[in-house]
Amino acid sequence: MFEQRAILFLYAVSPVHMGAGQAIGVIDNPIQRERHTGHPCFAGSGIKGAVRHGFEAIGGDGHLIEVLFGPESGSDNLHAGAVSFGDAQLVAFPVRSLKGGYVYATCPQALARTRRLMEATGLSVTWLDFPPVNEGECVVANSSLLSQRKINGQPADVLHLEAFEYLAKEKDSQALKTIARDLAEKAIPDGNGYKFFADKLKTDLVVLSDTDFAYFAQHATLVEPHVCIKEETGTAKEGGLFYTENLPPESILIAPILASQVRNGSTKGDADFMDAANVMLKMTTVINGKLLQIGGDATTGRGLVVTRIVEGK
């Protein structure tokens, strides 16, 4: 039984390709998505595999890999690992904006799921409620993102994202400011290198309707063309053009991380025994605030995410 629970935030600092393994549309290599929402996601098994693979490189003790994550298949001493990673779900998605460069877009559904997961791991969440957001509307905390135009002869504040326009239902939302500050403190690491992005998240978090947000999450990802080259001639191979989808940098996801006592058969008093609290401490010490590579295309700089662990009670 898992006795310790925490939240793992994943902040993309490069395009990330966690492949779905199959394609049914025009994109040859699509990313993983939730079936019911269509939002990009990271499978927990992929996160665990990436952490295991890079454990020593980011400062972990190599002798603890089998204890924490379980032995490789085919081992003579098979046992379950003491750490479990859940699937990562989308919290905020970067969308190009007429003002401010880009915004961190989210929706009531994504925020509600984030809050539910945080509270399930024992975190205290004191977010305030904001009014319902209909299609074509938005809630913002930073009025400088808005433009003014007339609608039916009356002045109105609107937000321009990509080629779309959204009427500002609230342009100085205190509830959204509270949520944005909390996410910035929890999801983005400390340090001068991340200060700009933490400050931007605090001011430029924007709430769209579930429908409008789902459109961007589906259609505003990074799609790159790739070409297979003939080694003999250095020219493009016939039929060698393919398209790969990536989650864009600045995306924020959240996943649960659970810990139990080690399951290698050791008991209290043995040198390699660790209870759940110590297992979680080992994980937090090693990966909190670190840069990980997850997913494919590692040799082209893809898959870089910064992690942040926030422990519950």
Side-chain angles (χ1 to χ4, degrees), residues 190-222:
D190 299 325
N192 293 332
Y194 300 102
K195 185 178 186 304
F196 172 88
F197 304 98
D199 291 343
K200 184 172 179 64
L201 179 56
K202 291 176 185 178
T203 59
D204 292 358
L205 185 66
V206 170
V207 179
L208 305 176
S209 72
D210 294 339
T211 301
D212 292 330
F213 178 73
Y215 174 86
F216 287 114
Q218 183 72 39
H219 299 289
T221 54
L222 178 63

Side-chain angles (χ1 to χ4, degrees), residues 7-11 34 39-41 88-94 104-115 117-118 127 179-180 182-184 187 201 205-208 213 217 247 250-255:
I7 285 297
L8 174 67
F9 282 100
L10 300 160
Y11 186 90
E34 293 179 330
H39 295 178
C41 64
Q89 59 197 37
L90 192 61
V91 179
F93 187 84
Y104 293 94
T106 188
C107 67
Q109 181 187 71
L111 291 177
R113 298 180 74 200
T114 299
R115 179 172 187 167
L117 193 54
M118 292 168 67
W127 295 356
I179 295 171
D182 192 40
L183 287 176
L201 179 56
L205 185 66
V206 170
V207 179
L208 305 176
F213 178 73
L247 188 71
E250 319 312 329
S251 300
I252 303 173
L253 295 91
I254 185 174

Side-chain angles (χ1 to χ4, degrees), residues 230-254:
K230 292 181 182 178
E231 190 172 326
E232 303 82 6
T233 63
T235 59
K237 186 182 297 184
E238 185 177 353
L241 175 65
F242 61 95
Y243 292 89
T244 297
E245 184 181 25
N246 294 273
L247 188 71
E250 319 312 329
S251 300
I252 303 173
L253 295 91
I254 185 174

